[in-house]
Amino acid sequence: MTTPLADQAPDLRGSPPYGWAAAVSVAILALYVVTLGPTTAFWDTPEYIAAAKVLGIPHPPGNPLFVVLAHVFGLLPLAASYAERINLFAAVTSSLAAGLWFLVAERWLRSIVPWRGARLAASFAGILVGATAWTVWNQSTVNEKVYTVSLLSIALVMWLAVHWADDRSGSHRDRWLVMIGYVITLSSTNHMMGVLVAPAVALYVLWTDWREAFRPWVLLLGWTTLVAVTGVWTGAVSGDTVGIAAVVVSLGLLVWAVSKDPRSWMPWLVVLAVVVGVSLNYIFLPLRAGQFPAINEGEPTTWNALLDVLNRAQYGKPSVMLRQADLVGQFANYWQYWTWQFARDWPALSRLATAVFTLLGVGGLLALIKRDRRAGFAALVLFGTLSVLLVFYLNFKYGFSMFPDRPSLPREVRERDYFFVASFAFFGTLLALGFGAVIRWLAEAIGDGLGKTAAQAWPLATPVLLLAFIPLAGNRLTASRAHETTPRDFAVDLLESVEPYGILITAGDNDTFPLWFAQEVLGVRRDVTLANLSLMNTEWHLKQISRRQTPPFDSASAAGIWQEMADQIGPPPPRPALDLPEDEIDSLPEVMRAPDGTNGLRFGDITLRFASDILMRADLATIFLIRDNLSTRPIFFAWSAAGYPDETLGLTPYLVTHGLVRKLNPTPIVGDSTVVMSPGLGWVDVERSRKLLFETYHWESAARDRPRGWVDQPSRSILSLYSVVYGGLADTFAMLGDSTASARADSIGSAVQRGLAPRR
């Protein structure tokens, strides 16, 4: 007599399909490689690539695990350019995570689908959707952040928990728990996202054997892992009561665990695993910071500075109890990102695709809860942690593109969908369960209709898996990073706009991080000293400017405009651009009142007139840069700094446009045959700008046609600089009677402008 499907026990004896998982990883990796970014991108990508190259410290929390892994990976001769190798690192880590999710999905499907072939097919289908979800795919083809490493660690820990639960009780199985604690702790030195898997693992362990969780060494493992990843123990150094209590409890648990079984090495292995796992934060960061690498954000050379970096003090985020937007708006923002995942290139079908896959994933979760409550509730907890709990904890302002009819809302400076990349990827596992449940239901229905058994009929149900290819087709245009070189080209163009040994003052991340990449990875115009207005409000950035020794100008690799005058260029200036001792930098106030008087502040023939009664530290630093270099170095403001030098310092009469930058003249500008007043750009050096625009800049990449336009709207302001400058120079050339140059500049500016708008 045949046992009904509903009564069949899941097959737990079969070996995990490691070969199929490897094949899935290779297939996903092949897709990512085909769509891989050839160079850097905007936002944090250039900073992290440069940090990997120089073994530096990116912005808080410093991400030492990423830096070390990416640095080693970047040494492998896997691609022609360094940036491509680091982008490949993102692709490899994400595709490995897909293989691990495949293993988890196949194991959980054993309680739903008794046929191995159907399980493998459904697992692949779900994982394919997760891997081609828009944010996952987009983040896997360029190393924008550290999150693909966290994605890998989450998938690895979840698979280790599943594998542990299927193992026989004993010392062999115990080691899996220690490995889980180690990976979670180690992952926290990459980013705290990796820790979010812990609640699901705890539930899985307790549900499997609650007595296991109360063994002394297991309690020691759980507690010390918690203490390590939260960093609460650091309070003991400064005498904080909570920190001292955490350390005392840890020592007490260790003594108890050892006393319970003095011959066991497990308590000591636990301590070793946790201490080694978290050590990168407290050993690598201060040691490397003390060597002053080129990328050294936060400069954590002291204990307090290290804690500021690890605790992200630089960002000053409020408590989660002080909401930066209402909860409804924050969850609406998550839902907005959710609707991007399944067919972003097809606006007309995007809602339908979202509805289909959402229902399919929810159905898969419910099917798992029905047949394997342990796995089902663990899956529910993991997805809830990666979405609902994360939305609450992150406490974002309103999304960049949310509620466009309400412009006064406080908004994030960019889209934050990448924070939820793990929830979108893990949802592929739930979709695998959903596909499996649908195949089973269809097989039973088809079998009844044709007079066959469900085991014979299930292949006829597999066409439903074709749905898994919708995200592959519906995201392929905008998730791909292939052929996009604009961020690299912009960085090179901006640096080559500056005269040898110049100082370039920029505004924020998107006009500074690409320059770090160009200088440290590509070796472009390292003679230029960069000063970021946002970062000059920190002491560490000012100290790095004051510490930096200017490298010699390399005329051989510079743009032709500078090679022509190579014989006129002397040695580097002997003194740093910011000639202030470190103790004076430490004493600079964060805010001060502007000097009194209507005559302003005078340096040589320049008079600074302040628009506000209040000066920030960055304003003071800019004033010192002008004071110390006016007669020794050329000073430039990037056009990305917009009206800062005009509105804050009153420097309009002294600024002359050179393409994408404006040079500070030591005397008021007087027009002549080469320097004219432009209606949109102020004073313009026409001949210098002409050479930059038509002989130096990579305008082709900025103006190229993109199938869906410029997708990342928050960064369009950087790309629009080309439109502003070329359009402004078109008017200037027309004013001077040069219709040929005017038409050419206008054509380029118009092409850039057309490409900025997203296409429906």
Side-chain angles (χ1 to χ4, degrees):
M1 182 177 178
T2 303
T3 303
L5 285 176
D7 298 332
Q8 290 184 11
D11 175 20
L12 305 182
R13 293 174 296 176
S15 299
Y18 290 118
W20 287 105
V24 168
S25 288
V26 170
I28 298 300
L29 178 60
L31 172 65
Y32 291 161
V33 168
V34 170
T35 55
L36 196 72
T39 183
T40 190
F42 283 126
W43 301 109
D44 297 336
T45 305
E47 178 200 14
Y48 278 101
I49 295 176
K53 174 72 172 179
V54 303
L55 208 60
I57 300 172
H59 66 263
N63 317 106
L65 178 61
F66 167 83
V67 171
V68 172
L69 292 177
H71 180 77
V72 173
F73 195 93
L75 298 175
L76 304 176
L78 299 175
S81 73
Y82 191 83
E84 215 170 355
R85 295 199 288 275
I86 303 303
N87 291 343
L88 185 60
F89 177 64
V92 168
T93 49
S94 188
S95 60
L96 288 174
L100 290 164
W101 289 130
F102 176 87
L103 292 173
V104 173
E106 192 276 339
R107 168 60 185 83
W108 286 351
L109 271 169
R110 294 185 184 190
S111 64
I112 300 174
V113 180
W115 317 295
R116 187 170 187 268
R119 286 201 305 272
L120 295 175
S123 297
F124 173 72
I127 300 312
L128 177 63
V129 176
T132 55
W134 191 86
T135 298
V136 180
W137 191 351
N138 191 249
Q139 289 289 311
S140 301
T141 52
V142 74
N143 203 107
E144 184 178 338
K145 291 276 189 178
V146 298
Y147 299 129
T148 60
V149 175
S150 291
L151 184 59
L152 173 60
S153 70
I154 291 172
L156 175 60
V157 168
M158 200 65 235
W159 168 243
L160 289 173
V162 170
H163 195 56
W164 168 86
D166 288 342
D167 204 352
R168 293 181 179 179
S169 181
S171 60
H172 181 270
R173 188 170 83 157
D174 291 345
R175 288 194 287 269
W176 290 120
L177 280 184
V178 178
M179 176 63 75
I180 287 171
Y182 171 71
V183 174
I184 290 176
T185 310
L186 180 66
S187 180
S188 72
T189 68
N190 174 69
H191 193 273
M192 287 297 287
M193 178 183 285
V195 178
L196 296 178
V197 70
V201 171
L203 177 64
Y204 213 81
V205 170
L206 286 168
W207 204 300
T208 301
D209 185 354
W210 65 268
R211 292 165 298 185
E212 188 80 16
F214 288 94
R215 296 169 66 185
W217 71 265
V218 177
L219 286 174
L220 176 66
L221 174 64
W223 175 258
T224 53
T225 299
L226 177 65
V227 168
V229 301
T230 59
V232 67
W233 69 271
T234 59
V237 177
S238 56
D240 177 73
T241 303
V242 175
I244 294 173
V247 172
V248 169
V249 172
S250 300
L251 293 173
L253 284 173
L254 175 60
V255 171
W256 178 48
V258 171
S259 65
K260 281 292 185 179
D261 189 355
R263 292 178 297 179
S264 173
W265 42 266
M266 291 301 291
W268 303 108
L269 182 61
V270 165
V271 172
L272 179 65
V274 172
V275 170
V276 171
V278 81
S279 63
L280 279 174
N281 277 348
Y282 302 98
I283 296 177
F284 174 85
L285 286 178
L287 287 179
R288 186 58 183 146
Q291 296 171 330
F292 304 113
I295 310 296
N296 194 10
E297 294 218 38
E299 211 164 271
T301 54
T302 66
W303 178 249
N304 288 334
L306 175 62
L307 294 185
D308 283 347
V309 167
L310 294 175
N311 295 326
R312 303 168 177 83
Q314 179 174 315
Y315 304 122
K317 288 198 70 170
S319 163
V320 294
M321 304 312 296
L322 299 174
R323 308 308 295 174
Q324 297 193 96
D326 63 76
L327 267 175
V328 173
Q330 290 173 336
F331 282 108
N333 189 204
Y334 177 81
W335 178 253
Q336 177 193 31
Y337 296 151
W338 184 262
T339 64
W340 290 0
Q341 300 308 310
F342 306 108
R344 195 174 183 189
D345 296 349
W346 301 340
L349 297 177
S350 179
R351 290 185 179 180
L352 178 60
T354 299
V356 168
F357 285 111
T358 301
L359 291 174
L360 188 61
V362 171
L365 177 61
L366 293 176
L368 184 64
I369 291 175
K370 179 180 178 181
R371 299 182 182 278
D372 184 348
R373 295 173 68 84
R374 175 188 62 181
F377 281 105
L380 177 63
V381 168
L382 180 56
F383 187 74
T385 303
L386 296 174
S387 54
V388 177
L389 184 63
L390 195 55
V391 169
F392 181 80
Y393 172 76
L394 291 173
N395 190 19
F396 285 142
K397 301 173 186 175
Y398 291 95
F400 180 86
S401 58
M402 286 184 65
F403 308 131
D405 57 329
R406 298 164 65 184
S408 62
L409 290 176
R411 298 182 183 277
E412 294 294 317
V413 298
R414 62 172 297 192
E415 303 291 7
R416 302 294 190 185
D417 56 300
Y418 53 85
F419 274 100
F420 305 105
V421 64
S423 73
F424 303 144
F426 174 64
F427 192 71
T429 304
L430 303 185
L431 285 169
L433 304 173
F435 278 123
V438 170
I439 287 178
R440 175 171 177 160
W441 176 78
L442 288 175
E444 292 174 344
I446 293 172
D448 290 342
L450 298 179
K452 297 181 178 181
T453 65
Q456 294 171 325
W458 76 259
L460 299 177
T462 55
V464 71
L465 300 182
L466 292 175
L467 289 172
F469 291 91
I470 289 177
L472 177 63
N475 291 328
R476 63 183 179 84
L477 296 179
T478 54
S480 172
R481 306 275 192 149
H483 314 301
E484 188 57 75
T485 63
T486 299
R488 176 199 64 194
D489 296 337
F490 165 76
V492 174
D493 291 349
L494 195 56
L495 285 171
E496 293 290 15
S497 303
V498 178
E499 295 172 6
Y501 304 125
I503 297 170
L504 177 59
I505 299 173
T506 57
D509 294 356
N510 266 339
D511 65 346
T512 303
F513 291 167
L515 305 185
W516 290 359
F517 165 82
Q519 288 189 326
E520 302 304 327
V521 178
L522 304 180
V524 173
R525 294 300 307 277
R526 300 190 70 251
D527 61 287
V528 175
T529 298
L530 303 175
N532 179 288
L533 287 170
S534 176
L535 297 180
M536 281 197 291
N537 284 309
T538 68
E539 294 177 1
W540 62 263
H541 185 55
L542 297 179
K543 290 178 180 178
Q544 289 175 11
I545 297 173
S546 70
R547 196 183 296 125
R548 186 177 191 267
Q549 296 297 314
T550 306
F553 172 70
D554 183 6
S555 60
S557 62
I561 189 174
W562 308 121
Q563 292 182 8
E564 296 171 359
M565 52 184 294
D567 57 344
Q568 306 171 31
I569 301 170
R575 304 185 69 82
L578 185 62
D579 197 10
L580 288 177
E582 289 198 4
D583 58 341
E584 290 189 26
I585 292 176
D586 290 335
S587 65
L588 284 178
E590 293 184 14
V591 180
M592 69 168 288
R593 185 170 296 279
D596 294 329
T598 59
N599 295 326
L601 188 63
R602 192 172 183 85
F603 298 125
D605 292 323
I606 284 185
T607 301
L608 280 69
R609 301 186 185 279
F610 307 112
S612 171
D613 293 335
I614 301 298
L615 295 178
M616 305 294 290
R617 182 183 288 158
D619 304 326
L620 296 176
T622 303
I623 292 169
F624 293 142
L625 287 172
I626 294 172
R627 180 197 67 184
D628 296 341
N629 299 281
L630 194 58
S631 60
T632 58
R633 295 178 189 247
I635 302 172
F636 292 82
F637 290 87
W639 260 114
S640 53
Y644 172 81
D646 310 87
E647 298 163 5
T648 303
L649 303 178
L651 293 175
T652 304
Y654 312 95
L655 296 170
V656 57
T657 291
H658 292 191
L660 291 168
V661 301
R662 292 194 288 172
K663 182 180 179 181
L664 180 64
N665 206 55
T667 59
I669 305 295
V670 178
D672 55 26
S673 59
T674 60
V675 177
V676 301
M677 174 60 71
S678 166
L681 300 176
W683 292 107
V684 175
D685 187 319
V686 178
E687 293 310 311
R688 175 66 58 80
S689 295
R690 186 195 304 271
K691 287 190 173 184
L692 289 170
L693 265 62
F694 300 137
E695 299 177 16
T696 306
Y697 290 168
H698 301 80
W699 57 265
E700 298 92 341
S701 63
R704 78 179 184 89
D705 183 57
R706 297 171 179 85
R708 304 298 302 177
W710 188 256
V711 178
D712 181 36
Q713 287 298 295
S715 64
R716 73 191 301 269
S717 60
I718 294 296
L719 192 61
S720 68
L721 292 176
Y722 284 98
S723 176
V724 171
V725 169
Y726 277 89
L729 265 298
D731 294 338
T732 305
F733 291 137
M735 182 179 68
L736 296 175
D738 190 342
S739 58
T740 301
S742 176
R744 186 181 180 192
D746 182 69
S747 175
I748 295 171
S750 298
V752 174
Q753 190 62 36
R754 285 194 303 272
L756 287 175
R759 300 177 190 173
R760 296 293 179 185

